[in-house]
Amino acid sequence: MKSLVTGVAGFIGSQVAEALLARGDEVIGIDCFTDYYGRSFKEANLAGLQGRRGFRLVEDDLTGMDLAGLLDGVSVVVHEAAQAGVRASWGASFEHYTQNNVLATQRLFEACLKAGVSKVVYASSSSVYGDCDDLPARENSVTRPLSPYGVTKVAVEHLGYLYWKNYGLHTVGMRYFTVYGPRQRPDMAFHRFIRAGLEGGGIRIFGDGLQSRDFTYVSDIVAATLAAADSGHAGGVYNVGGGARISIREVLEMLERLLETRLNVSYEGTVKGDVRHTAADISLAREHFGYEPRVRIEEGLLAEAAWLRTLIG
């Protein structure tokens, strides 16, 4: 099978591409290497892909590139490319989010439709829910995002639905819940916490630390994404969570035990766009394609810490 992965140099995209190669697919990867974080991190993410038989990297921008030739013979597209970050999506930066999330997705769907691509699995986010009144959130819960980033992800889901409903494009959306693990972006919480623990730096927490998240290990995300490509229902969206909710304070206490160090933590005011709690009802993903999170938080934190140790040197 021939597959195409957008955002292939990213945290999740690079690992999806590796999993596709491992199952025998030919993989085309696209990435425009936005400057949201350092290119060196993305180059490192690609280390397991570059030079491998069956993999081809294309550096280009979905909003302006010609996709027709690249999609020739492609059966499955996994769309991971996006402008990331809740807190950075306000003000003038919102233009980047509409371009790289909404416009890029619309142009990709158009190209897939014309090329006759069988399935498109795309990344959405738990950010679409905002402060959900009824946890764990279900796929039919009200989507009321609290950040401009979350607004663009709702728009992406609507695009996925309308391209299926009107044109029959087989789209499947994945609402990822706070993904962590090796290759996690340097701006994300666990990366910052573990790096501070290893290097002796300080940790700034926005809020009281009692806010909680449904943290999901990256290998579980990858497994769910590939399973959805095989068995996800057309036009649908699925929660992909880690199976348990834990507070930030509990995470910090756990890291102190795992890293055998005291963390230097300070607490500051809340930030616009941050939700208080997230939790995923994953019963639909379990029913439709057998999703079951397998990596517990302690195991996942240890794996991310081991990766960061090699990165720091």
Side-chain angles (χ1 to χ4, degrees), residues 225-244:
T225 302
L226 267 61
D230 292 334
S231 306
H233 288 201
V237 292
Y238 295 93
N239 289 336
V240 186

Side-chain angles (χ1 to χ4, degrees), residues 35-263:
D35 61 1
Y36 183 73
Y37 61 100
R39 183 179 178 116
S40 61
F41 287 99
K42 300 173 187 179
E43 296 282 4
N45 291 343
L46 291 170
L49 291 165
Q50 294 281 38
R52 286 183 61 177
R53 184 177 180 181
F55 177 72
R56 175 188 172 195
L57 174 65
V58 176
E59 184 172 348
D60 213 331
D61 188 336
L62 290 173
T63 62
M65 67 184 294
D66 181 6
L67 282 160
L70 289 179
L71 288 170
D72 184 33
V74 167
S75 298
V76 174
V77 169
V78 180
H79 180 37
E80 298 288 344
Q83 186 75 17
V86 167
R87 295 169 185 165
S89 62
W90 297 92
S93 295
F94 187 56
E95 180 179 354
H96 300 300
Y97 287 79
T98 56
Q99 283 278 118
N100 294 326
N101 296 357
V102 183
L103 180 60
T105 301
Q106 186 270 338
R107 291 191 172 174
L108 177 65
F109 287 168
E110 280 284 331
C112 288
L113 187 63
K114 292 174 183 175
V117 172
S118 299
K119 293 182 182 179
V120 183
V121 180
Y122 63 89
S124 185
S125 166
S126 60
S127 295
V128 301
Y129 291 115
D131 275 324
C132 186
D133 295 329
D134 183 23
L135 292 178
R138 299 176 298 277
E139 286 82 357
N140 61 358
S141 296
V142 174
T143 54
R144 194 178 290 126
L146 290 183
S147 67
Y149 167 78
V151 168
T152 65
K153 285 300 186 179
V154 171
V156 164
E157 291 187 2
H158 283 301
L159 285 170
Y161 179 80
L162 70 87
Y163 271 89
W164 165 69
K165 189 68 174 179
N166 290 283
Y167 296 107
L169 182 65
H170 190 123
T171 61
V172 183
M174 309 297 283
R175 288 177 178 167
Y176 297 151
F177 278 68
T178 317
V179 190
Y180 74 102
R183 304 184 202 172
Q184 191 184 46
R185 298 194 322 266
D187 63 298
M188 296 184 76
F190 285 5
H191 186 124
R192 293 187 294 104
F193 296 172
I194 296 170
R195 182 180 282 271
L198 296 175
E199 297 182 329
I203 297 172
R204 298 166 63 203
I205 302 297
F206 296 101
D208 58 11
L210 297 178
Q211 62 267 41
S212 64
R213 297 288 181 269
D214 192 337
F215 295 105
T216 316
Y217 191 70
V218 65
S219 65
D220 288 329
I221 290 289
V222 171
T225 302
L226 267 61
D230 292 334
S231 306
H233 288 201
V237 292
Y238 295 93
N239 289 336
V240 186
R245 179 161 57 107
I246 184 171
S247 74
I248 298 300
R249 284 185 184 257
E250 289 174 300
V251 168
L252 294 170
E253 292 169 0
M254 190 178 296
L255 280 174
E256 286 188 330
R257 294 196 303 272
L258 296 175
L259 300 177
E260 299 181 336
T261 188
R262 292 288 296 174
L263 298 175

